[in-house]
Amino acid sequence: MKKILFIFLFASSLAASAQILKPAKWTFTPSKTSAKVGETIDLVFTAKIDDNWYMYSSELKVEGPLPTAANFTKNDTYTLVGKLVPVKPKEKFDDIWGGKVQYFEHEAKFIQKVKITKANPVIEGKIECQTCTTKDGKCVPNKDKFKFDVKTI
């Protein structure tokens, strides 16, 4: 039953994405705009979420919904420290997924620590998430490019 429901939700999300719905608008801010080589800084991913929509967290305890993920373009100017961490998500039991899910309404914030390994790091990639409406359950996958400007001192 869950597989049939997942297929239905996935198919409806593909149809919805054809309409180019963007219920989440992202901003990308480093904790420091200048850092020393060898220093660890926070990269802050913030999404403003439209009313009547919610976004799944990066940490989910159930299979089915698409978790928020930051996919970095690898290079030798920085290294990731740990994983993408959600900041204060809400949690609820979801009958569709048969377990607790973490999600955000209105605003979502995530932090990724990075260590600067070379001068003038190039930190970019894509953030992927799934947003769903509380009105009719329609879900939309979103992808946005990100770039963090950090200068070395």
Side-chain angles (χ1 to χ4, degrees):
M1 179 67 177
K2 286 185 184 178
K3 287 184 180 180
I4 294 171
L5 183 57
F6 176 73
I7 291 169
F8 172 75
L9 288 173
F10 184 72
S12 65
S13 71
L14 288 177
S17 66
Q19 298 171 8
I20 311 180
L21 290 173
K22 283 284 213 181
K25 282 75 174 173
W26 288 95
T27 56
F28 312 105
T29 312
S31 60
K32 298 174 92 177
T33 55
S34 24
K36 296 177 185 174
V37 172
E39 188 173 356
T40 299
I41 64 169
D42 291 340
L43 305 178
V44 182
F45 297 78
T46 306
K48 296 291 183 194
I49 305 166
D50 290 348
D51 289 340
N52 302 311
W53 288 82
Y54 62 94
M55 174 189 298
Y56 287 108
S57 178
S58 57
E59 298 177 359
L60 297 175
K61 300 172 185 170
V62 297
E63 289 185 32
L66 300 175
T68 299
N71 301 308
F72 288 81
T73 303
K74 296 184 189 224
N75 65 61
D76 64 353
T77 62
Y78 69 95
T79 56
L80 299 177
V81 178
K83 59 183 181 176
L84 186 67
V85 177
V87 179
K88 297 182 184 178
K90 294 181 178 184
E91 186 173 84
K92 68 177 179 179
F93 183 85
D94 192 310
D95 290 329
I96 294 173
W97 307 118
K100 290 183 180 179
V101 295
Q102 291 186 335
Y103 67 100
F104 294 93
E105 294 177 311
H106 307 294
E107 182 179 272
K109 189 176 284 190
F110 301 88
I111 295 176
Q112 174 67 60
K113 291 187 179 300
V114 296
K115 182 176 182 178
I116 307 302
T117 57
K118 288 194 175 177
N120 300 316
V122 178
I123 306 171
E124 57 189 12
K126 287 185 183 176
I127 185 113
E128 298 181 39
C129 65
Q130 181 175 353
T131 49
C132 301
T133 178
T134 57
K135 289 185 176 182
D136 61 11
K138 180 188 309 181
C139 293
V140 179
N142 296 143
K143 288 182 185 180
D144 284 289
K145 291 181 180 180
F146 63 81
K147 183 174 184 175
F148 289 91
D149 292 318
V150 179
K151 304 294 179 217
T152 48
I153 51 177

